Amino acid sequence: MVGMSYYKQYRHQMQTGDFIVFAGTGFCAWRIRWHTRSIYTHVGMVLRLSDAPEVVLLSHARPSAGVAVEPLSLVLAKTPGRAGWVPLSEAYATAQNPGYRASLITEALAHQRESYDWAGAFAHNRYHWPFWQDPRARYCSEHVALCRRAAGLY
């Protein structure tokens, strides 16, 4: 997915638990790429709530606001760089936990407004120093992994 036209084309197929990966631009994105040794600088998880099924939400941890749930269209519009959609295998997820969607939504919403874990994001990924991580804060990939683990998908 490179822009909003791709989002509009594929949003009806996006489901709770899918990944949205970002390859950002700028100095902060360069630092993240250097520390993580990845082309991706950010990740979030798609949420679809039953009371607004036409809205695709993104649950992610961002430095300026911590853990947040926002409309994916707004995140794509304000994030420079490229984004990609990585669907979760329905067969795999259902085999692990038939109620995984509800579990993912519950976990993601329970952690809204937690702080962003700056020290953990840089120290853990680059140097594998988990003792720098703040247990009351999360960085983006940590947030997505913890939500999926709580839903029984890891």
Side-chain angles (χ1 to χ4, degrees):
M1 177 186 324
V2 177
M4 290 301 288
S5 62
Y6 288 98
Y7 166 71
K8 290 176 182 176
Q9 181 180 352
Y10 292 107
R11 70 178 168 199
H12 67 281
Q13 297 175 37
M14 294 178 180
Q15 297 296 322
T16 295
D18 293 352
F19 288 144
I20 303 294
V21 293
F22 296 85
T25 60
F27 180 73
C28 191
W30 174 84
R31 294 273 319 248
I32 292 169
R33 277 195 301 278
W34 184 81
H35 280 279
T36 62
R37 297 184 179 128
S38 172
I39 62 169
Y40 301 110
T41 57
H42 188 64
V43 64
M45 182 178 63
V46 170
L47 296 180
R48 286 217 183 237
L49 306 180
S50 60
D51 58 344
E54 70 284 352
V55 177
V56 179
L57 298 172
L58 184 71
S59 179
H60 61 137
R62 55 191 183 106
S64 60
V67 177
V69 176
E70 304 175 285
L72 179 55
S73 59
L74 294 178
V75 176
L76 290 171
K78 67 182 178 184
T79 304
R82 297 174 15 149
W85 168 46
V86 183
L88 173 63
S89 165
E90 180 74 23
Y92 167 78
T94 304
Q96 300 301 311
N97 175 4
Y100 77 93
R101 284 195 175 119
S103 299
L104 286 170
I105 291 169
T106 300
E107 185 70 12
L109 295 178
H111 295 283
Q112 283 191 93
R113 292 181 285 286
E114 284 184 354
S115 300
Y116 188 81
D117 188 3
W118 283 98
F122 289 109
H124 180 72
N125 283 324
R126 179 68 175 181
Y127 306 107
H128 306 289
W129 295 340
F131 53 85
W132 277 30
Q133 290 181 274
D134 182 346
R136 299 158 300 169
R138 295 179 176 197
Y139 52 92
C140 60
S141 58
E142 180 182 37
H143 170 65
V144 170
L146 291 172
C147 287
R148 289 176 68 133
R149 185 174 297 125
L153 298 180
Y154 280 138

